[in-house]
Every structure is written in structure tokens, then in C-alpha cells.
Amino acid sequence: MLLRIYDSNDQSVYGNKIVELANELMSVTKTYDILFLYLNDSLTKSDYGKAVQVGKLLLQHESVLHDIASEGSIGRPAFLN
């Protein structure tokens, strides 16, 4: 969704869906909060390039959470370790 916003330079189609997904994820774990704060700031300022960068950090963080949940060893740095 963030890449589509970036490509179209318009968040009107996906903006509400992003908020809905952010609320869902934050209800599960608070470790996403700061990243969604940065994402919201980027979208509010129409800085879609930065929003895509934050999206990449969100994916990295999700991967770390999956490692923790599966009791795997974390062999890479995490954004919020």
C-alpha cells in the first residue's frame, strides 16, 4: 500500500486502510507504536518516500517479532531491541 501511495503520490485510496491495520497491530503489541508515529508523520507531510522507508522498518521489526515468538535466535539487529 505504501508503494502504491508513493507511486501515485496520493494517499486517499489507502490512507484509511493503513490506519485500520496500524490500530490492529498496535492492539497486539505496543512495540509498533513509535514506527506508526513516524509513518503517520510521513503521511501527514506527504513525504511518501520516507513512508516507504518506515514501511521497510515495520517489515524488519515484524520479522524480529516472529523470531522471538518462534523462540528463534535473533542474529541481526532490531530497530527496537
Side-chain angles (χ1 to χ4, degrees), residues 24-55:
E24 185 178 330
L25 284 170
M26 288 187 299
S27 73
V28 176
T29 177
K30 298 300 180 195
T31 62
Y32 284 103
D33 290 2
I34 190 74
L35 292 171
F36 283 120
L37 178 68
Y38 293 143
L39 181 60
N40 182 62
D41 185 57
S42 300
L43 292 173
T44 300
K45 294 177 181 175
S46 299
D47 188 348
Y48 302 130
K50 187 169 187 168
V52 169
Q53 291 175 340
V54 175

Side-chain angles (χ1 to χ4, degrees), residues 13 22-23 26 34 41 47 50-51 58 64 68 71 73:
V13 175
N23 286 331
M26 288 187 299
I34 190 74
D41 185 57
D47 188 348
K50 187 169 187 168
L58 282 162
V64 168
I68 292 168
E71 298 181 17
S73 61

